[in-house]
Structure formats: C-alpha cells, structure tokens
Amino acid sequence: MRIVSGIKERLGEAFRLYFILVTLITVLLMILGLMFDSDRTFGYEIYFSPLLYALIGVIPVFVFHSDRELSMKRLVIRNILRLLLVEALVMMLVFKAPSIPSDRPEVVAGIAVGITVVYILTMVVEYIFELIQARELNTYLEEYQKRISDDIM
Amino acid sequence: MEISVKKIPAGEPEVLEIRCHKVSDDVREIVSFVKSRQGQLSAETDGRKTEIPIVDVYYAESVDNRVFIYTAKESCEIKLKLYELEEMLKGRTFLRVQKGMLLNLMKVKSIKPALGGRYTAFLGNSEEIVISRKYVADLKKALKGGEEK
C-alpha cells in the first residue's frame, strides 16, 4: 500500500514537472536558436524536441527519491544531484544529435547554462503553485478554526 | 444561574469560572463535564506527573521511541505510542503532518510553502512545524471538513 502511494506521489510529481518543463524548454530552445542558429529552418518534427527533453528532465524524480523526510540541507543536495543528472543526460544527447552544432563551445555552454536556468525556473514555478495552495490552505484553516470555535460555543 | 460568555484576546488564558453560593452536586457535575469535554493527558515533566489539557497541546512528537507533547511553554513525555495517541485524539483537532508528528490545527496561525512541496505551519507559540508533502492532501481534506485521520 505504501509502495503504491509512493509511486502515485512520484508520478504526480513527474506529471506536474513534465508540463512545466515542456513550456520552459520551448522558450529555451527559441532563445538558444535565435542566439546561435537563427537562419536554420526545421520540419514539424522539431515539435518533438521539448517533449523529449522534458522526458529526460523528469527522470531524476524517479532516481533521487526518498520516502524519508529530508532536512533542508539534504533537500538542496538532492536538487543539485538531480540537476547534474539532467545536465549529463542532455549533454549525452547533445553530442549524439547531428542537428545540434556541439562542436561550437558557446552552443554547449549555452545549453548547459540554459538547463540550469530552466531547472531553477521550474522550482520557482512550483513555488508559485505552492504559494497559491498555501493561500487556499490558510483560507480553509481560518474557516475550520471558526467552525470548531462556533461548535464549542 | 446566569450564564455569560465573554470573548478574550488570543494571548490571554481561557478561564471557566463558576461563581456559586455552594459547591453542590450540580456544580460538580458541570465541572466534571467540562473536564471530560476538554480531555486531559497524563504526562511527565522533570520526573513529576502532571495533567495536560488536550486543548493546550500544540503538537506531539515521537523521538527515539518516546513521545513528547508540547504546550505553549513546556514539553512533557507521555507514556503512549504516537499511534495510540493519534487514536485517542481521533475526532479532535489533531492531524498527522509528519511520520512522527501530530499537530493541533487549532494552534496553527498560518501556513507557508517550504522547499520541495512541503509546507511550514507557524504556531501560536512562535514555533514552526514542517508539514510533510505526503500529508498535505490529508490536511486539506481535514480543513475542508473531512475526517481527521
């Protein structure tokens, strides 16, 4: 039962992360493309790229996962490890994909920095969602406490 | 007998005072009812036994197989397992927010997000409690009027 709920939790996390990543990677590809390869044209298959890269981005959710409550320090370390894993996986793809000019150091550096920016932005977006959820929880909390107080009276 | 209820600021201790000419059986019955309604937990602090009203408990925590309850100013050990305490407090305003922690929702002032899908509950006694990611759904359900687990 606990394993099932753990898998469900991870799938939920990966699902949410995936769609945030697709959006941010699309923006990143646009920026990097305009910066380093603005004259290039692609076919419709290019729309698969953000979907594929986002899939790579959610892999760490399943690799670095702990059922234990992590301290803030461990949480930060885990996030750094996740980022390094994504960087490594994407770089492997970059050096194998013929469409990416990986022989140009500025392109490789741009992609590496871009991944870090997307990773940080993903956390920012998730934090915004959590802020909205917290606001909702505070409203429910206020109503709950009022309801209980009224019941006592 | 006249009955009056007066609202007081959150910082002031709540007091139920019965002003009577004689401590009759009726008065004793009222006192007994109030005590049972509030509920008390037998705890130990500095080797002496004490009774802690459940409504005064901010949270309960399991540390190294020992369970401690925390009030506004003190912490006491209770001779119960956390799951036994959870069972005892079922139907009250307590909810499990971590594997080893029960939180009194009536003592929470506000909730803010923490890193990694967790939330921090700010309590009336200025303490902060982390609400684990996996218990957020239960918290939402409880606050919306569902059963506390």
Side-chain angles (χ1 to χ4, degrees):
Chain A
M1 194 67 184
R2 192 185 286 175
I3 295 168
V4 174
S5 96
I7 292 170
K8 262 176 76 177
E9 191 193 330
R10 261 167 273 183
L11 281 174
E13 188 183 346
F15 191 74
R16 196 174 53 245
L17 180 65
Y18 181 76
F19 288 102
I20 297 171
L21 281 174
V22 167
T23 308
L24 293 174
I25 288 168
T26 306
V27 176
L28 176 70
L29 286 176
M30 183 190 76
I31 293 168
L32 290 177
L34 287 173
M35 277 171 69
F36 300 116
D37 219 4
S38 57
D39 297 332
R40 193 110 168 251
T41 52
F42 294 96
Y44 282 110
E45 72 280 357
I46 197 65
Y47 287 111
F48 281 116
S49 301
L51 304 175
L52 179 69
Y53 290 131
L55 262 185
I56 293 170
V58 299
I59 290 172
V61 171
F62 298 96
V63 179
F64 298 111
H65 190 89
S66 172
D67 287 330
R68 285 192 305 164
E69 196 57 50
L70 297 178
S71 65
M72 192 56 82
K73 191 177 159 192
R74 281 170 184 265
L75 213 60
V76 171
I77 292 170
R78 188 182 73 177
N79 280 342
I80 292 169
L81 288 174
R82 281 182 171 183
L83 172 62
L84 290 176
L85 180 65
V86 175
E87 290 270 10
L89 290 171
V90 174
M91 282 304 160
M92 274 166 59
L93 205 73
V94 164
F95 283 104
K96 285 202 170 167
S99 60
I100 301 171
S102 53
D103 53 326
R104 290 166 62 188
E106 71 272 20
V107 172
V108 177
I111 292 169
V113 172
I115 293 166
T116 308
V117 171
V118 164
Y119 193 80
I120 293 166
L121 279 177
T122 304
M123 285 194 283
V124 171
V125 171
E126 286 204 320
Y127 189 77
I128 291 168
F129 282 140
E130 285 162 13
L131 266 178
I132 295 166
Q133 166 113 319
R135 201 172 299 159
E136 196 182 30
L137 285 172
N138 280 314
T139 307
Y140 291 142
L141 176 71
E142 208 174 305
E143 288 168 1
Y144 174 86
Q145 290 178 339
K146 190 176 179 306
R147 202 165 56 239
I148 298 289
S149 301
D150 288 348
D151 283 352
I152 291 168
M153 299 301 279
Chain B
M1 191 186 282
E2 264 186 33
I3 296 172
S4 72
V5 177
K6 188 180 160 191
K7 282 202 169 184
I8 54 167
E12 269 184 56
E14 290 176 318
V15 176
L16 176 71
E17 186 183 53
I18 300 172
R19 301 170 73 174
C20 55
H21 296 122
K22 185 184 161 202
V23 184
S24 63
D25 285 346
D26 284 347
V27 172
R28 283 194 195 93
E29 200 176 310
I30 292 166
V31 172
S32 163
F33 170 76
V34 172
K35 275 190 175 174
S36 68
R37 185 79 175 83
Q38 286 189 316
Q40 306 231 326
L41 288 172
S42 296
E44 262 182 40
T45 177
D46 300 328
R48 62 182 172 82
K49 284 194 188 301
T50 178
E51 296 290 317
I52 306 281
I54 291 172
V55 289
D56 288 350
V57 177
Y58 278 66
Y59 62 97
E61 188 180 25
S62 172
V63 183
D64 297 331
N65 285 324
R66 294 164 74 190
V67 176
F68 297 89
I69 53 173
Y70 298 82
T71 63
K73 287 175 187 158
E74 58 177 350
S75 64
C76 315
E77 186 179 355
I78 55 166
K79 299 293 178 195
L80 287 170
K81 301 281 182 199
L82 196 70
Y83 72 88
E84 291 172 333
L85 181 64
E86 186 179 26
E87 193 61 33
M88 190 185 273
L89 298 175
K90 212 170 186 176
R92 290 182 181 268
T93 56
F94 285 79
L95 186 80
R96 197 177 275 252
V97 292
Q98 283 179 30
K99 196 179 171 193
M101 191 176 283
L102 295 172
L103 175 65
N104 186 353
L105 299 175
M106 294 304 282
K107 301 296 185 190
V108 180
K109 284 185 103 174
S110 65
I111 298 165
K112 283 184 184 161
L115 199 66
R118 308 182 305 177
Y119 290 83
T120 304
F122 292 84
L123 309 187
N125 61 351
S126 306
E127 283 195 69
E128 295 173 16
I129 298 291
V130 171
I131 300 166
S132 176
R133 181 181 196 130
K134 67 174 75 168
Y135 294 102
V136 173
D138 288 345
L139 172 68
K140 198 171 175 180
K141 192 177 163 191
L143 293 178
K144 281 174 89 174
E147 278 282 301
E148 286 95 34
K149 278 194 171 179

